[in-house]
Amino acid sequence: MLFADRISHTYPNGVQALREFSLQVARGQFVAIVGPSGCGKSTLLRIIAGLLQPSAGAVWLDGARITQPSPRIGLMFQDAALLPWRTVEQNIRLPLELGSKASRQSSHHGHPSLASSIAPLIQLVGLSGFERAYPRELSGGMAQRVALARALITQPPVLLLDEPFGALDAMTRENLTASVESILRATGTTAIMVTHSITEAVFLADQVVVCSPRPGSVVGSVPITLPRPRTWAMESWPEFGALVGRARELLGRTAPVV
Amino acid sequence: MIARHGNKPLTNRSLTIATHYSAASRLAPLLGLIAFVLVWQLLSLRYPPFILPGPGSVAARLIEKLADGSLVIHSAATLSAAIPGLILGTLVAFALGVPIAKSPLADRLISPFIVASQGVPFVVVAPLLFIWFGSGLQAKILVCAMVVFFPIAINVIAGLRSTPPVLRDLFRALGATPSEMFLKLELPSALPFIFAGLRVGGTLSMIGAITGEFLSADRGLGFMINLGNGLYDTALVIAGVLTTVLIALAIYSAIRLAERALRVERWAE
Ligand SMILES: Nc1ncnc2c1ncn2[C@@H]1O[C@H](COP(=O)(O)OP(=O)(O)O)[C@@H](O)[C@H]1O
Ligand SMILES: [Mg+2]
């Protein structure tokens, strides 16, 4: 279980990004965080990832406190962040090449075979045939698929996604969202995703957490009761619309809707 | 402190010969060359040869110097200062540029000297080097290294600082060690900058070597040009200049080839 306990963070320039933000995510659960831009969502994810020390509060993963980056946590950003001099396959393998052997070993949970042969992973994210392509030859959606495969290759129990579809067009976005839903369900990965899109949050999550304007704290959350696997056809269900409405209402309580 | 720069390597864009040629753009330099020689020929008809010899007499002088072997000897002498000078300048550029890029303390400590060094005209410093190191090869290599050092160092620093923060986060999150961070991320990210610096430095290395030879030498292209000057043998002077330019172009092309071999063009988005 992942537990963010009353996280507050003030940057050295005096900007308070987070105030007592608490979050509990059960194993295998998908939590989506929505909130006005600048409310500290990226800051929160960087703290959970161990990239940033919070001014106050602590993050616990299965009872161990997170104080530095851990191979048990995978990351995906809005930018695919691929190395342009590496092929798709070489980019996906990057996590296996970095860091001490010990920490890499401990990160291989479940199926270590996946690390040695990445073909199934490439197929899972829909990149078959593009193994030898370079990032500049890929569309934005393809590049994010590479980033997803790279995040999954070490089989981290937790995946953090910071607006991973933010820069994509609507069609690509729906496509990729559906892929991510089925992939994370198949791998049983715990996920925390930040997104601008309430619809996307409802589609993917077991729980949508709404964040207040800066300094960010939790306003409320909406449990998502839709069955899985999710499909975009559900968007027209009354239940889907009601859930989006509840999340939007929570969001509206905190700030004027723009 | 040396300022941060944007994401473009620091050379004049027009200096960068494009990677992909179309047939028309392939012909363009040739047409330019023909026009240049024509204008030169026409102009030379109006002046006596000791002021402006025509392309024909310069070519004759070149062939003569090639035939008696002296052009090769002079070129080899100049290159024997230019190439080690380029290598030495590059090594020093890395030795100072890497710490400057990585540590704010080193930046404040070293950068003022680097910037100040560019204010010193090297034609003035060069004689000092000859006093300290004698008039041999060493001093010429040092002059040359001084000339090429700056553009390479500036690009090494800008290149190492150009690593996108999101990639830095990624490497940290993946538990990269400091050496992995440098070798697998920062250095490859910096390659387009480093090659831009090397292209400028490589071309300048010939100027550095020739300057050294102007001050003190008994052989080399600079010596040959100086000799021609003294004898009012303007055709010889121009032949020397042309040879220098051709060798500088060859060095530039060799660096371009290395860049292509590493396929640095993949870096561009
Ligand atoms: N490195 C930083 N230094 C100072 N202020 C920052 C830094 N990063 C973010 N901020 C500020 O903190 C606030 C929250 O930023 P962020 O976490 O990126 O918000 P979000 O991801 O929700 O849009 C913003 O006001 C932003 O300007
Ligand atoms: Mg953000």
Side-chain angles (χ1 to χ4, degrees):
Chain A
M1 190 195 61
L2 190 133
F3 179 34
D5 184 16
R6 284 164 291 164
I7 306 284
S8 297
H9 190 72
T10 305
Y11 281 104
N13 64 0
V15 172
Q16 189 182 8
L18 293 167
R19 192 183 58 211
E20 306 222 328
F21 195 113
S22 293
L23 189 69
Q24 270 197 48
V25 189
R27 187 178 295 242
Q29 209 190 11
F30 194 122
V31 168
I33 302 175
V34 293
S37 111
C39 76
K41 304 179 296 290
S42 297
T43 306
L44 179 72
L45 286 197
R46 285 172 54 83
I47 289 170
I48 295 175
L51 289 168
L52 185 68
Q53 292 305 308
S55 315
V59 180
W60 304 83
L61 177 56
D62 293 335
R65 188 165 170 180
I66 290 181
T67 53
Q68 58 177 36
S70 150
R72 293 164 52 74
I73 299 179
L75 279 178
M76 240 180 114
F77 312 92
Q78 177 165 351
D79 185 316
L82 304 180
L83 301 179
W85 53 89
R86 284 175 170 247
T87 61
V88 164
E89 180 169 347
Q90 290 166 340
N91 265 291
I92 295 173
R93 281 185 186 280
L94 179 72
L96 306 176
E97 296 170 20
L98 299 180
S100 64
K101 261 217 151 69
S103 70
R104 261 181 278 158
Q105 224 75 87
S106 71
S107 69
H108 296 163
H109 301 266
H111 330 267
S113 58
L114 220 114
S116 46
S117 160
I118 70 164
L121 179 60
I122 285 185
Q123 193 167 6
L124 186 70
V125 297
L127 283 169
S128 301
F130 289 89
E131 292 86 348
R132 285 159 179 276
Y134 283 95
R136 65 185 299 203
E137 299 157 6
L138 301 177
S139 66
M142 287 291 211
Q144 281 300 27
R145 287 177 188 272
V146 179
L148 177 63
R150 180 183 60 196
L152 293 176
I153 195 167
T154 53
Q155 314 225 326
V158 177
L159 182 62
L160 306 179
L161 307 103
D162 192 351
E163 298 185 32
F165 317 124
L168 306 176
D169 62 86
M171 285 288 283
T172 312
R173 218 175 150 123
E174 288 199 352
N175 239 317
L176 203 51
T177 313
S179 298
V180 165
E181 198 266 342
S182 71
I183 289 167
L184 295 193
R185 197 165 29 82
T187 53
T189 309
T190 307
I192 303 175
M193 180 176 80
V194 164
T195 173
H196 276 324
S197 158
I198 297 176
T199 322
E200 199 172 277
V202 169
F203 179 90
L204 282 168
D206 299 304
Q207 178 138 335
V208 175
V209 172
V210 176
C211 169
S212 74
R214 195 165 54 100
S217 58
V218 177
V219 176
S221 68
V222 182
I224 308 298
T225 44
L226 296 166
R228 291 186 189 269
R230 307 255 167 98
T231 64
W232 279 110
M234 294 177 183
E235 204 184 351
S236 59
W237 292 10
E239 192 186 351
F240 195 104
L243 291 166
V244 168
R246 285 183 54 199
R248 188 159 284 146
E249 197 251 328
L250 274 178
L251 204 54
R253 241 184 249 170
T254 70
V257 182
V258 247
Chain B
M1 270 186 285
I2 290 177
R4 280 165 183 273
H5 299 277
N7 259 336
K8 284 266 154 56
L10 305 175
T11 41
N12 189 336
R13 257 278 168 238
S14 61
L15 268 179
T16 318
I17 294 175
T19 321
H20 306 286
Y21 302 100
S22 69
S25 65
R26 238 174 220 285
L27 277 177
L30 191 63
L31 291 177
L33 187 65
I34 291 170
F36 175 76
V37 172
L38 265 177
V39 171
W40 176 9
Q41 175 66 48
L42 288 175
L43 276 176
S44 70
L45 297 176
R46 303 187 44 176
Y47 297 99
F50 74 90
I51 293 186
L52 184 62
S57 50
V58 170
R61 213 82 180 81
L62 262 179
I63 289 165
E64 178 198 325
K65 287 284 166 189
L66 254 179
D68 73 7
S70 60
L71 194 63
V72 174
I73 290 172
H74 288 313
S75 299
T78 304
L79 274 172
S80 69
I83 299 299
L86 177 59
I87 293 170
L88 180 64
T90 306
L91 290 177
V92 177
F94 271 90
L96 296 183
V98 172
I100 286 175
K102 304 217 76 168
S103 131
L105 181 67
D107 188 5
R108 290 197 193 170
L109 217 60
I110 311 172
S111 292
F113 289 98
I114 292 184
V115 176
S117 77
Q118 287 310 291
V120 182
F122 58 85
V123 243
V124 177
V125 181
L128 276 180
L129 295 177
F130 284 100
I131 293 169
W132 295 336
F133 296 95
S135 56
L137 190 59
Q138 276 176 18
K140 276 176 222 124
I141 292 175
L142 283 175
V143 174
C144 196
M146 265 177 54
V147 176
V148 305
F149 158 77
F150 191 68
I152 301 176
I154 288 291
N155 274 289
V156 166
I157 294 165
L160 290 177
R161 283 177 176 169
S162 74
T163 315
V166 65
L167 288 181
R168 233 177 254 285
D169 269 359
L170 176 77
F171 269 64
R172 277 183 61 209
L174 293 174
T177 62
S179 74
E180 284 169 341
M181 192 79 134
F182 184 71
L183 292 174
K184 297 199 171 193
L185 178 62
E186 291 165 345
L187 195 59
S189 296
L191 274 187
F193 286 80
I194 292 170
F195 271 104
L198 283 176
R199 289 199 302 263
V200 177
T203 324
L204 286 179
S205 68
M206 283 303 283
I207 297 180
I210 300 262
T211 310
E213 287 165 359
F214 255 69
L215 293 164
S216 157
D218 54 8
R219 70 180 70 175
L221 290 169
F223 169 77
M224 189 181 99
I225 292 168
N226 227 352
L227 195 71
N229 235 346
L231 299 171
Y232 289 97
D233 186 350
T234 312
L236 184 61
V237 172
I238 296 180
V241 171
L242 279 182
T243 310
T244 309
V245 169
L246 283 178
I247 294 175
L249 271 178
I251 295 175
Y252 180 96
S253 305
I255 293 167
R256 272 311 281 182
L257 276 181
E259 197 174 352
R260 292 228 190 113
L262 283 172
R263 302 194 42 208
V264 175
E265 79 274 1
R266 281 174 305 178
W267 276 228
E269 275 134 55

